[in-house]
Amino acid sequence: MSDLSNDEIADLRSKVETGELHPKEAKKRLARELTARFHSPEAAQAAEDNFEKVFQKGGVPDDLAEMRCTASEPIALPQLMVEAGLVNSTSEGRRMIQQGAVTIDGIKASDISMAISPEGEMLIKVGKRRFCKILFG
């Protein structure tokens, strides 16, 4: 249940229907209100900022998953994606690479047989929502 009155909700709906307010802005307002209710206004603003950073500006989420890889030999990218929990199978990993949905440190991966050297660290992104920082060693 929202703290908005019925009149305020009707006004939001009317503004969306007339094009005065984008539906996403109405959703963001309601999401901010609910998050503030269950957490805090600061947490609501932080969640909204993180959403915009990741999904609107193509950034990296604040709560980035990390995986330590102890491989001593180069590892196939689809296999690394499985081990990092980014895909369920190497077949899915290969499909995602072929579809152009995989980036490594912001650079699109296009070779399904690419082998990753186990050194340093890297950020793998699959699609718009799956991220993992890989730490080698």
Side-chain angles (χ1 to χ4, degrees), residues 6 11 29 45 59-61 65 74 76 85 95-96 114 133-134 136:
N6 287 339
D11 184 49
R29 179 176 174 183
Q45 188 60 53
V60 177
R95 274 193 307 278
M96 297 302 281
M114 178 180 194
K133 184 176 186 178
I134 309 294
F136 292 101

Side-chain angles (χ1 to χ4, degrees), residues 49-111:
D49 293 345
N50 190 52
F51 176 87
E52 287 176 357
K53 179 174 80 172
V54 174
F55 298 106
Q56 293 178 332
K57 299 176 183 167
V60 177
D62 294 334
D63 58 344
L64 182 61
E66 290 187 0
M67 183 197 95
R68 183 157 300 277
C69 181
T70 57
S72 57
E73 305 265 330
I75 183 169
L77 177 56
Q79 182 62 40
L80 183 59
M81 292 164 53
V82 170
E83 290 181 19
L86 295 167
V87 293
N88 293 321
S89 67
T90 55
S91 296
E92 180 186 3
R94 286 190 296 274
R95 274 193 307 278
M96 297 302 281
I97 294 167
Q98 289 172 329
Q99 293 170 2
V102 178
T103 62
I104 299 172
D105 293 330
I107 300 169
K108 192 172 287 193
S110 58
D111 182 2

Side-chain angles (χ1 to χ4, degrees), residues 1-3 27-49 51:
M1 198 68 168
S2 173
D3 285 338
K27 291 176 188 177
K28 285 170 50 175
R29 179 176 174 183
L30 293 171
R32 188 172 41 249
E33 177 191 343
L34 290 173
T35 304
R37 179 185 304 171
F38 290 102
H39 298 282
S40 70
E42 295 79 17
Q45 188 60 53
E48 182 176 347
D49 293 345
F51 176 87

